[in-house]
Amino acid sequence: MSTPVDAEQAWQDLQRIRVPQERVYDEVERCAEGDSRATYTTAGIMWVFLAVSGLDLSWWAFGLVLTAYVALLGSLAVVYNRRTRVRLHRSRHSWRSFATFFAGMAVTAVTIVVSGRLVDWLALPFGSLVQATVSAAAFVLFVGPANRWAIGSLRDRGTRTLRKGTDR
């Protein structure tokens, strides 16, 4: 059994669905591109941790600093996750989001290790400050373009899904 479908009514229904969807993508892109406070706050927390970890600390003091670092990053993630007004379930995270996360982790870890070895090799004074500055700068320079790249695919995926649904 098939029911007759009014093409004009179907088009209007599709437009009613698509306009709010476009607003959702606009909001996600605005949050990803325009809000750099989380990036700079994370870089600042990382800078302080790396600068302090270069000091001669006892094992319990280093454990305390590491615990504070993880707690600050966790609370920052919770605060910025709750601030986001838009929830997109699966469409919020694509393979690009996960690739960006792991690539950022790798870039930051390699920068920390390489700058630490370079500081040791050159025997620079205040080496932990140099290492912290180079690592935080690499983090900030990587995160901005990587987030724009990861979020840029969401709108394309949404329109592809929408087209697939109407091609039936």
Side-chain angles (χ1 to χ4, degrees):
M1 274 196 191
S2 72
T3 25
V5 176
D6 180 20
E8 185 61 33
Q9 183 62 40
W11 178 253
Q12 288 173 356
D13 291 343
L14 182 63
Q15 294 307 310
R16 254 196 325 272
I17 293 168
R18 195 173 72 185
V19 169
Q21 183 182 22
E22 290 297 317
R23 288 187 186 139
V24 167
Y25 290 129
D26 291 342
E27 178 69 16
V28 170
E29 289 170 355
R30 184 191 63 76
C31 288
E33 292 179 9
D35 194 13
S36 58
R37 283 182 291 179
T39 301
Y40 291 126
T41 305
T42 304
I45 293 169
M46 182 175 69
W47 187 90
V48 169
F49 172 73
L50 290 173
V52 170
S53 67
L55 303 174
D56 282 334
L57 299 175
S58 62
W59 64 272
W60 64 268
F62 180 75
L64 188 64
V65 169
L66 182 62
T67 303
Y69 176 65
V70 170
L72 280 171
L73 286 181
S75 63
L76 183 70
V78 167
V79 165
Y80 274 89
N81 190 32
R82 286 186 181 162
R83 252 187 45 184
T84 304
R85 296 180 300 197
V86 178
R87 301 279 182 226
L88 281 180
H89 56 82
R90 282 181 294 126
S91 65
R92 187 172 177 190
H93 301 288
S94 65
W95 69 269
R96 287 183 176 192
S97 300
F98 294 111
T100 300
F101 177 75
F102 289 114
M105 225 172 28
V107 165
T108 304
V110 166
T111 305
I112 290 170
V113 170
V114 168
S115 63
R117 292 200 179 178
L118 187 62
V119 163
D120 289 342
W121 181 66
L122 294 174
L124 294 174
F126 308 110
S128 63
L129 297 179
V130 172
Q131 180 185 15
T133 303
V134 168
S135 300
F139 175 79
V140 167
L141 290 174
F142 176 80
V143 166
N147 277 346
R148 284 190 295 277
W149 176 75
I151 296 298
S153 68
L154 289 180
R155 186 181 300 269
D156 296 338
R157 279 190 342 163
T159 55
R160 275 196 311 256
T161 303
L162 190 62
R163 268 189 258 130
K164 280 183 186 176
T166 59
D167 287 344
R168 290 181 186 175

PDB file of all heavy atoms in Angstrom, residues 90-118:
ATOM      1  N   ARG A  90      25.789  11.300  18.351  1.00  0.00           N
ATOM      2  CA  ARG A  90      26.858  10.745  17.524  1.00  0.00           C
ATOM      3  C   ARG A  90      27.472  11.765  16.568  1.00  0.00           C
ATOM      4  O   ARG A  90      28.649  11.709  16.274  1.00  0.00           O
ATOM      5  CB  ARG A  90      26.323   9.577  16.688  1.00  0.00           C
ATOM      6  CG  ARG A  90      26.179   8.311  17.457  1.00  0.00           C
ATOM      7  CD  ARG A  90      25.667   7.214  16.570  1.00  0.00           C
ATOM      8  NE  ARG A  90      24.305   7.496  16.139  1.00  0.00           N
ATOM      9  CZ  ARG A  90      23.920   7.516  14.874  1.00  0.00           C
ATOM     10  NH1 ARG A  90      24.764   7.262  13.919  1.00  0.00           N
ATOM     11  NH2 ARG A  90      22.679   7.782  14.559  1.00  0.00           N
ATOM     12  N   SER A  91      26.685  12.680  16.055  1.00  0.00           N
ATOM     13  CA  SER A  91      27.195  13.601  15.043  1.00  0.00           C
ATOM     14  C   SER A  91      28.181  14.605  15.621  1.00  0.00           C
ATOM     15  O   SER A  91      28.847  15.306  14.886  1.00  0.00           O
ATOM     16  CB  SER A  91      26.039  14.329  14.358  1.00  0.00           C
ATOM     17  OG  SER A  91      25.375  15.145  15.290  1.00  0.00           O
ATOM     18  N   ARG A  92      28.270  14.675  16.952  1.00  0.00           N
ATOM     19  CA  ARG A  92      29.176  15.631  17.574  1.00  0.00           C
ATOM     20  C   ARG A  92      30.629  15.181  17.448  1.00  0.00           C
ATOM     21  O   ARG A  92      31.543  15.982  17.449  1.00  0.00           O
ATOM     22  CB  ARG A  92      28.799  15.796  19.035  1.00  0.00           C
ATOM     23  CG  ARG A  92      29.569  16.862  19.706  1.00  0.00           C
ATOM     24  CD  ARG A  92      29.007  17.098  21.058  1.00  0.00           C
ATOM     25  NE  ARG A  92      29.819  18.102  21.714  1.00  0.00           N
ATOM     26  CZ  ARG A  92      29.718  18.410  22.963  1.00  0.00           C
ATOM     27  NH1 ARG A  92      28.827  17.805  23.708  1.00  0.00           N
ATOM     28  NH2 ARG A  92      30.481  19.309  23.490  1.00  0.00           N
ATOM     29  N   HIS A  93      30.853  13.882  17.383  1.00  0.00           N
ATOM     30  CA  HIS A  93      32.206  13.348  17.310  1.00  0.00           C
ATOM     31  C   HIS A  93      32.334  12.477  16.070  1.00  0.00           C
ATOM     32  O   HIS A  93      31.612  11.498  15.921  1.00  0.00           O
ATOM     33  CB  HIS A  93      32.543  12.528  18.545  1.00  0.00           C
ATOM     34  CG  HIS A  93      32.435  13.317  19.814  1.00  0.00           C
ATOM     35  ND1 HIS A  93      33.352  14.280  20.157  1.00  0.00           N
ATOM     36  CD2 HIS A  93      31.524  13.301  20.800  1.00  0.00           C
ATOM     37  CE1 HIS A  93      33.008  14.816  21.308  1.00  0.00           C
ATOM     38  NE2 HIS A  93      31.891  14.248  21.712  1.00  0.00           N
ATOM     39  N   SER A  94      33.270  12.818  15.231  1.00  0.00           N
ATOM     40  CA  SER A  94      33.525  12.019  14.050  1.00  0.00           C
ATOM     41  C   SER A  94      34.909  11.385  14.201  1.00  0.00           C
ATOM     42  O   SER A  94      35.590  11.574  15.199  1.00  0.00           O
ATOM     43  CB  SER A  94      33.479  12.904  12.802  1.00  0.00           C
ATOM     44  OG  SER A  94      34.537  13.846  12.844  1.00  0.00           O
ATOM     45  N   TRP A  95      35.328  10.667  13.201  1.00  0.00           N
ATOM     46  CA  TRP A  95      36.661  10.076  13.246  1.00  0.00           C
ATOM     47  C   TRP A  95      37.707  11.189  13.306  1.00  0.00           C
ATOM     48  O   TRP A  95      38.774  11.004  13.881  1.00  0.00           O
ATOM     49  CB  TRP A  95      36.893   9.162  12.050  1.00  0.00           C
ATOM     50  CG  TRP A  95      36.989   9.897  10.738  1.00  0.00           C
ATOM     51  CD1 TRP A  95      35.971  10.180   9.886  1.00  0.00           C
ATOM     52  CD2 TRP A  95      38.167  10.448  10.150  1.00  0.00           C
ATOM     53  NE1 TRP A  95      36.439  10.884   8.811  1.00  0.00           N
ATOM     54  CE2 TRP A  95      37.775  11.056   8.937  1.00  0.00           C
ATOM     55  CE3 TRP A  95      39.491  10.488  10.517  1.00  0.00           C
ATOM     56  CZ2 TRP A  95      38.691  11.695   8.111  1.00  0.00           C
ATOM     57  CZ3 TRP A  95      40.402  11.121   9.683  1.00  0.00           C
ATOM     58  CH2 TRP A  95      39.990  11.717   8.491  1.00  0.00           C
ATOM     59  N   ARG A  96      37.371  12.354  12.751  1.00  0.00           N
ATOM     60  CA  ARG A  96      38.313  13.466  12.802  1.00  0.00           C
ATOM     61  C   ARG A  96      38.519  13.966  14.235  1.00  0.00           C
ATOM     62  O   ARG A  96      39.612  14.366  14.599  1.00  0.00           O
ATOM     63  CB  ARG A  96      37.816  14.627  11.944  1.00  0.00           C
ATOM     64  CG  ARG A  96      37.923  14.373  10.468  1.00  0.00           C
ATOM     65  CD  ARG A  96      37.481  15.601   9.723  1.00  0.00           C
ATOM     66  NE  ARG A  96      37.656  15.463   8.304  1.00  0.00           N
ATOM     67  CZ  ARG A  96      37.557  16.452   7.462  1.00  0.00           C
ATOM     68  NH1 ARG A  96      37.270  17.667   7.881  1.00  0.00           N
ATOM     69  NH2 ARG A  96      37.733  16.267   6.175  1.00  0.00           N
ATOM     70  N   SER A  97      37.465  13.946  15.038  1.00  0.00           N
ATOM     71  CA  SER A  97      37.584  14.370  16.435  1.00  0.00           C
ATOM     72  C   SER A  97      38.547  13.465  17.189  1.00  0.00           C
ATOM     73  O   SER A  97      39.400  13.936  17.938  1.00  0.00           O
ATOM     74  CB  SER A  97      36.229  14.344  17.125  1.00  0.00           C
ATOM     75  OG  SER A  97      35.325  15.197  16.487  1.00  0.00           O
ATOM     76  N   PHE A  98      38.387  12.163  16.997  1.00  0.00           N
ATOM     77  CA  PHE A  98      39.269  11.221  17.688  1.00  0.00           C
ATOM     78  C   PHE A  98      40.690  11.305  17.144  1.00  0.00           C
ATOM     79  O   PHE A  98      41.655  11.229  17.905  1.00  0.00           O
ATOM     80  CB  PHE A  98      38.711   9.807  17.579  1.00  0.00           C
ATOM     81  CG  PHE A  98      37.417   9.645  18.317  1.00  0.00           C
ATOM     82  CD1 PHE A  98      36.237   9.448  17.630  1.00  0.00           C
ATOM     83  CD2 PHE A  98      37.376   9.720  19.700  1.00  0.00           C
ATOM     84  CE1 PHE A  98      35.035   9.314  18.301  1.00  0.00           C
ATOM     85  CE2 PHE A  98      36.179   9.594  20.386  1.00  0.00           C
ATOM     86  CZ  PHE A  98      35.010   9.379  19.687  1.00  0.00           C
ATOM     87  N   ALA A  99      40.839  11.475  15.834  1.00  0.00           N
ATOM     88  CA  ALA A  99      42.173  11.622  15.256  1.00  0.00           C
ATOM     89  C   ALA A  99      42.854  12.877  15.782  1.00  0.00           C
ATOM     90  O   ALA A  99      44.053  12.858  16.090  1.00  0.00           O
ATOM     91  CB  ALA A  99      42.070  11.669  13.728  1.00  0.00           C
ATOM     92  N   THR A 100      42.104  13.953  15.913  1.00  0.00           N
ATOM     93  CA  THR A 100      42.659  15.197  16.449  1.00  0.00           C
ATOM     94  C   THR A 100      43.104  15.021  17.889  1.00  0.00           C
ATOM     95  O   THR A 100      44.177  15.487  18.280  1.00  0.00           O
ATOM     96  CB  THR A 100      41.608  16.316  16.363  1.00  0.00           C
ATOM     97  OG1 THR A 100      41.248  16.494  14.997  1.00  0.00           O
ATOM     98  CG2 THR A 100      42.128  17.614  16.916  1.00  0.00           C
ATOM     99  N   PHE A 101      42.305  14.340  18.686  1.00  0.00           N
ATOM    100  CA  PHE A 101      42.652  14.115  20.085  1.00  0.00           C
ATOM    101  C   PHE A 101      43.956  13.331  20.212  1.00  0.00           C
ATOM    102  O   PHE A 101      44.872  13.728  20.940  1.00  0.00           O
ATOM    103  CB  PHE A 101      41.512  13.375  20.795  1.00  0.00           C
ATOM    104  CG  PHE A 101      41.807  13.046  22.220  1.00  0.00           C
ATOM    105  CD1 PHE A 101      41.779  14.037  23.188  1.00  0.00           C
ATOM    106  CD2 PHE A 101      42.120  11.754  22.599  1.00  0.00           C
ATOM    107  CE1 PHE A 101      42.056  13.742  24.511  1.00  0.00           C
ATOM    108  CE2 PHE A 101      42.388  11.446  23.911  1.00  0.00           C
ATOM    109  CZ  PHE A 101      42.366  12.442  24.872  1.00  0.00           C
ATOM    110  N   PHE A 102      44.064  12.212  19.488  1.00  0.00           N
ATOM    111  CA  PHE A 102      45.261  11.388  19.599  1.00  0.00           C
ATOM    112  C   PHE A 102      46.471  12.055  18.951  1.00  0.00           C
ATOM    113  O   PHE A 102      47.591  11.935  19.455  1.00  0.00           O
ATOM    114  CB  PHE A 102      45.012  10.003  19.010  1.00  0.00           C
ATOM    115  CG  PHE A 102      44.102   9.181  19.869  1.00  0.00           C
ATOM    116  CD1 PHE A 102      42.849   8.807  19.411  1.00  0.00           C
ATOM    117  CD2 PHE A 102      44.469   8.807  21.150  1.00  0.00           C
ATOM    118  CE1 PHE A 102      41.999   8.066  20.212  1.00  0.00           C
ATOM    119  CE2 PHE A 102      43.627   8.063  21.959  1.00  0.00           C
ATOM    120  CZ  PHE A 102      42.386   7.687  21.485  1.00  0.00           C
ATOM    121  N   ALA A 103      46.269  12.776  17.867  1.00  0.00           N
ATOM    122  CA  ALA A 103      47.384  13.501  17.255  1.00  0.00           C
ATOM    123  C   ALA A 103      47.871  14.619  18.173  1.00  0.00           C
ATOM    124  O   ALA A 103      49.076  14.853  18.301  1.00  0.00           O
ATOM    125  CB  ALA A 103      46.964  14.066  15.903  1.00  0.00           C
ATOM    126  N   GLY A 104      46.947  15.306  18.828  1.00  0.00           N
ATOM    127  CA  GLY A 104      47.335  16.342  19.781  1.00  0.00           C
ATOM    128  C   GLY A 104      48.114  15.779  20.946  1.00  0.00           C
ATOM    129  O   GLY A 104      49.092  16.364  21.418  1.00  0.00           O
ATOM    130  N   MET A 105      47.681  14.600  21.410  1.00  0.00           N
ATOM    131  CA  MET A 105      48.412  13.931  22.480  1.00  0.00           C
ATOM    132  C   MET A 105      49.824  13.582  22.031  1.00  0.00           C
ATOM    133  O   MET A 105      50.792  13.797  22.770  1.00  0.00           O
ATOM    134  CB  MET A 105      47.657  12.647  22.861  1.00  0.00           C
ATOM    135  CG  MET A 105      47.526  12.443  24.327  1.00  0.00           C
ATOM    136  SD  MET A 105      46.444  11.074  24.825  1.00  0.00           S
ATOM    137  CE  MET A 105      46.468   9.890  23.539  1.00  0.00           C
ATOM    138  N   ALA A 106      49.951  13.062  20.826  1.00  0.00           N
ATOM    139  CA  ALA A 106      51.262  12.680  20.309  1.00  0.00           C
ATOM    140  C   ALA A 106      52.155  13.895  20.100  1.00  0.00           C
ATOM    141  O   ALA A 106      53.338  13.882  20.484  1.00  0.00           O
ATOM    142  CB  ALA A 106      51.099  11.905  18.995  1.00  0.00           C
ATOM    143  N   VAL A 107      51.605  14.955  19.503  1.00  0.00           N
ATOM    144  CA  VAL A 107      52.403  16.166  19.267  1.00  0.00           C
ATOM    145  C   VAL A 107      52.886  16.762  20.586  1.00  0.00           C
ATOM    146  O   VAL A 107      54.054  17.134  20.727  1.00  0.00           O
ATOM    147  CB  VAL A 107      51.587  17.210  18.460  1.00  0.00           C
ATOM    148  CG1 VAL A 107      52.231  18.580  18.506  1.00  0.00           C
ATOM    149  CG2 VAL A 107      51.424  16.757  17.026  1.00  0.00           C
ATOM    150  N   THR A 108      52.011  16.818  21.569  1.00  0.00           N
ATOM    151  CA  THR A 108      52.382  17.385  22.868  1.00  0.00           C
ATOM    152  C   THR A 108      53.421  16.518  23.559  1.00  0.00           C
ATOM    153  O   THR A 108      54.416  17.038  24.091  1.00  0.00           O
ATOM    154  CB  THR A 108      51.135  17.543  23.758  1.00  0.00           C
ATOM    155  OG1 THR A 108      50.179  18.346  23.059  1.00  0.00           O
ATOM    156  CG2 THR A 108      51.470  18.202  25.064  1.00  0.00           C
ATOM    157  N   ALA A 109      53.246  15.210  23.548  1.00  0.00           N
ATOM    158  CA  ALA A 109      54.213  14.315  24.201  1.00  0.00           C
ATOM    159  C   ALA A 109      55.580  14.384  23.532  1.00  0.00           C
ATOM    160  O   ALA A 109      56.612  14.465  24.213  1.00  0.00           O
ATOM    161  CB  ALA A 109      53.684  12.889  24.185  1.00  0.00           C
ATOM    162  N   VAL A 110      55.591  14.373  22.201  1.00  0.00           N
ATOM    163  CA  VAL A 110      56.876  14.452  21.485  1.00  0.00           C
ATOM    164  C   VAL A 110      57.551  15.792  21.752  1.00  0.00           C
ATOM    165  O   VAL A 110      58.773  15.856  21.962  1.00  0.00           O
ATOM    166  CB  VAL A 110      56.657  14.217  19.968  1.00  0.00           C
ATOM    167  CG1 VAL A 110      57.866  14.622  19.160  1.00  0.00           C
ATOM    168  CG2 VAL A 110      56.306  12.760  19.716  1.00  0.00           C
ATOM    169  N   THR A 111      56.784  16.862  21.780  1.00  0.00           N
ATOM    170  CA  THR A 111      57.357  18.182  22.058  1.00  0.00           C
ATOM    171  C   THR A 111      57.955  18.237  23.464  1.00  0.00           C
ATOM    172  O   THR A 111      59.049  18.779  23.658  1.00  0.00           O
ATOM    173  CB  THR A 111      56.299  19.282  21.898  1.00  0.00           C
ATOM    174  OG1 THR A 111      55.733  19.187  20.602  1.00  0.00           O
ATOM    175  CG2 THR A 111      56.896  20.655  22.085  1.00  0.00           C
ATOM    176  N   ILE A 112      57.261  17.673  24.433  1.00  0.00           N
ATOM    177  CA  ILE A 112      57.771  17.669  25.804  1.00  0.00           C
ATOM    178  C   ILE A 112      59.068  16.869  25.891  1.00  0.00           C
ATOM    179  O   ILE A 112      60.055  17.331  26.480  1.00  0.00           O
ATOM    180  CB  ILE A 112      56.703  17.103  26.772  1.00  0.00           C
ATOM    181  CG1 ILE A 112      55.545  18.091  26.907  1.00  0.00           C
ATOM    182  CG2 ILE A 112      57.302  16.797  28.139  1.00  0.00           C
ATOM    183  CD1 ILE A 112      54.352  17.534  27.637  1.00  0.00           C
ATOM    184  N   VAL A 113      59.084  15.687  25.295  1.00  0.00           N
ATOM    185  CA  VAL A 113      60.278  14.841  25.367  1.00  0.00           C
ATOM    186  C   VAL A 113      61.446  15.466  24.613  1.00  0.00           C
ATOM    187  O   VAL A 113      62.566  15.553  25.132  1.00  0.00           O
ATOM    188  CB  VAL A 113      59.959  13.423  24.827  1.00  0.00           C
ATOM    189  CG1 VAL A 113      61.220  12.607  24.651  1.00  0.00           C
ATOM    190  CG2 VAL A 113      58.978  12.722  25.752  1.00  0.00           C
ATOM    191  N   VAL A 114      61.211  15.929  23.389  1.00  0.00           N
ATOM    192  CA  VAL A 114      62.294  16.496  22.580  1.00  0.00           C
ATOM    193  C   VAL A 114      62.824  17.786  23.200  1.00  0.00           C
ATOM    194  O   VAL A 114      64.043  17.991  23.281  1.00  0.00           O
ATOM    195  CB  VAL A 114      61.821  16.726  21.120  1.00  0.00           C
ATOM    196  CG1 VAL A 114      62.813  17.560  20.341  1.00  0.00           C
ATOM    197  CG2 VAL A 114      61.590  15.399  20.437  1.00  0.00           C
ATOM    198  N   SER A 115      61.940  18.648  23.652  1.00  0.00           N
ATOM    199  CA  SER A 115      62.424  19.894  24.269  1.00  0.00           C
ATOM    200  C   SER A 115      63.151  19.613  25.584  1.00  0.00           C
ATOM    201  O   SER A 115      64.134  20.277  25.904  1.00  0.00           O
ATOM    202  CB  SER A 115      61.269  20.871  24.494  1.00  0.00           C
ATOM    203  OG  SER A 115      60.325  20.349  25.410  1.00  0.00           O
ATOM    204  N   GLY A 116      62.725  18.607  26.335  1.00  0.00           N
ATOM    205  CA  GLY A 116      63.430  18.224  27.560  1.00  0.00           C
ATOM    206  C   GLY A 116      64.821  17.708  27.277  1.00  0.00           C
ATOM    207  O   GLY A 116      65.797  18.073  27.957  1.00  0.00           O
ATOM    208  N   ARG A 117      64.949  16.875  26.265  1.00  0.00           N
ATOM    209  CA  ARG A 117      66.283  16.355  25.903  1.00  0.00           C
ATOM    210  C   ARG A 117      67.176  17.456  25.345  1.00  0.00           C
ATOM    211  O   ARG A 117      68.371  17.490  25.623  1.00  0.00           O
ATOM    212  CB  ARG A 117      66.143  15.220  24.906  1.00  0.00           C
ATOM    213  CG  ARG A 117      65.508  14.018  25.550  1.00  0.00           C
ATOM    214  CD  ARG A 117      65.772  12.777  24.804  1.00  0.00           C
ATOM    215  NE  ARG A 117      65.128  11.685  25.527  1.00  0.00           N
ATOM    216  CZ  ARG A 117      65.136  10.463  25.111  1.00  0.00           C
ATOM    217  NH1 ARG A 117      65.723  10.152  23.987  1.00  0.00           N
ATOM    218  NH2 ARG A 117      64.547   9.534  25.824  1.00  0.00           N
ATOM    219  N   LEU A 118      66.590  18.366  24.580  1.00  0.00           N
ATOM    220  CA  LEU A 118      67.362  19.476  24.029  1.00  0.00           C
ATOM    221  C   LEU A 118      67.853  20.400  25.138  1.00  0.00           C
ATOM    222  O   LEU A 118      69.006  20.853  25.117  1.00  0.00           O
ATOM    223  CB  LEU A 118      66.513  20.251  23.021  1.00  0.00           C
ATOM    224  CG  LEU A 118      67.220  21.342  22.218  1.00  0.00           C
ATOM    225  CD1 LEU A 118      68.329  20.736  21.370  1.00  0.00           C
ATOM    226  CD2 LEU A 118      66.227  22.086  21.353  1.00  0.00           C
TER     227      LEU A 118
END
